[in-house]
Structure formats: C-alpha cells, structure tokens
Amino acid sequence: EAGVAQSPRYKIIEKRQSVAFWCNPISGHATLYWYQQILGQGPKLLIQFQNNGVVDDSQLPKDRFSAERLKGVDSTLKIQPAKLEDSAVYLCASSFGATPGEQYFGPGTRLTVT
Amino acid sequence: QKEVEQNSGPLSVPEGAIASLNCTYSDRGSQSFFWYRQYSGKSPELIMFIYSNGDKEDGRFTAQLNKASQYVSLLIRDSQPSDSATYLCAGSGGSYIPTFGRGTSLIVHP
C-alpha cells in the first residue's frame, strides 16, 4: 500500500513570496489533515478535510493560508505572502475514517522563509 | 482552549529499563488518546491508542488512561537505544479534531 505522498520535500523562499504544497493521501482515505510543526513543538492542526468538505480550520491563518481538496482526493496548501514565522515542517496525514489516531503521515515539506 | 501538556525532557534511561512518559490534558470532553513516536527528521508514526480508562498493552508498550485525573501515560519496557525518539501525546474529543502535545524526548543509553 502506497503511503501519503507530499511534494516538494524542501522549499526555501523569501518573505512575502508565495508557496504551495501538495499532498496525495492513501487511496480510499476520506480524511485529510494538514499540520504545521515548528522545531521543538508538536504538530499543530491547520485544517482537516472529510472528503472535500472542511471539518475544522480554526487554526488556519486565513489571511495568508488557504487549502483545498478538490474531488476529495489530493490537496494543496498555499501560503501567500509568507512570513519568517512560517518556517516549519508542513505535514500531511490521512485516515480512512474520522478517527484521528489511525492517521498516517507523509514525509513532510520543510519550509524555510528567509 | 484545548491543551495537551508534556514535559519536553529529555528523559534519559539506561538500556533495559522502563521508560515512563506522561501527558495531561485540559479538555474533559477528550475521549481518545494516541501516542506517536517521531524520530529526528522523520514524520510521526502511531504506536498506540487508548479510549477506555485503565491499561492497554501491546508488546513492550503499555498505555494508561485515567480520565478522572486527565492523565495519560506510556510505559516502554526493556528500553532499547532504538527507542530513542520524541514521543508525542495527542487527544481528541467527539469532533475527532486532534490536539498534540509538544512531545517528550527520550534517550536510551547503552
């Protein structure tokens, strides 16, 4: 079974630039999560999708971050414009059902904003 | 605000000892709890989940949940150097929205 795919793996941008991350979940997984993990901290949920609907986006900075999951499969997360404090690893995870504990994480995208 | 608290460590134990990792949570509505292991530079991977009060054992790992005290723990028996990692505790309530702690760094030395 193929795992969660993410790209790119690494990205370096200057502040005020824009960036997009892509995630392809495990086939058949209805729930998709985007997390931000800053060095030394636990993952912080940014947005959770159930199929192509948003379950929770309360911690998504909507003035600069956006995410979509068209057709209920893969997803993109965009930051525009980026700030220095956005430097982090962005993790995508998916689960078959709504139970978050059974989620599988992708390798992550390490973003550095200079 | 829902919070999951963990001591960041590091917790250092000798090889073969029992490592005890602890977690407290603020949301009494939390129903499900999860322990993830995260090696440096890697993604989290699920070790165990627990929903009911009491103990749950899986090989060398035992998860313990005390909902009255809002306390979750993970015991690792016969610790090995390969267990050295950061252990993340996460909880979720009826909405299934997960909240992670900051993780505890475990070092198992030979």
Side-chain angles (χ1 to χ4, degrees), chain A residues 4 14 16-17 23 31 36 39 43 81-82 86 94 96 110-111:
Chain A
V4 177
E14 295 181 352
R16 291 187 290 273
Q17 287 187 324
C23 172
T31 308
Q36 179 193 59
L39 187 64
D86 297 332
S94 70
F96 179 75
R110 183 175 298 277
L111 174 67

Side-chain angles (χ1 to χ4, degrees), chain A residues 35 37 40 42 98 100-101 103 106, chain B residues 34 36 38 43 46 51 96 98 101-102:
Chain A
Y35 292 91
Q37 187 173 25
Q103 58 186 315
Chain B
F34 314 93
Y36 287 82
Q38 187 173 27
S43 298
L46 180 67
Y51 303 144
Y96 299 125
R102 65 183 299 144

Side-chain angles (χ1 to χ4, degrees), chain A residues 23-77:
Chain A
C23 172
N24 185 252
I26 292 173
S27 178
H29 280 196
T31 308
L32 186 147
Y33 312 80
W34 281 105
Y35 292 91
Q36 179 193 59
Q37 187 173 25
I38 293 172
L39 187 64
Q41 298 183 19
K44 181 180 85 170
L45 181 68
L46 294 175
I47 189 166
Q48 178 178 344
F49 292 97
Q50 180 81 16
N51 296 308
N52 59 352
V54 175
V55 174
D56 183 80
D57 63 357
S58 59
Q59 299 190 97
L60 186 74
K62 299 179 184 65
D63 58 334
R64 299 184 301 106
F65 286 64
S66 64
E68 59 182 10
R69 190 184 185 197
L70 299 176
K71 301 180 182 179
V73 182
D74 54 357
S75 176
T76 56
L77 176 70

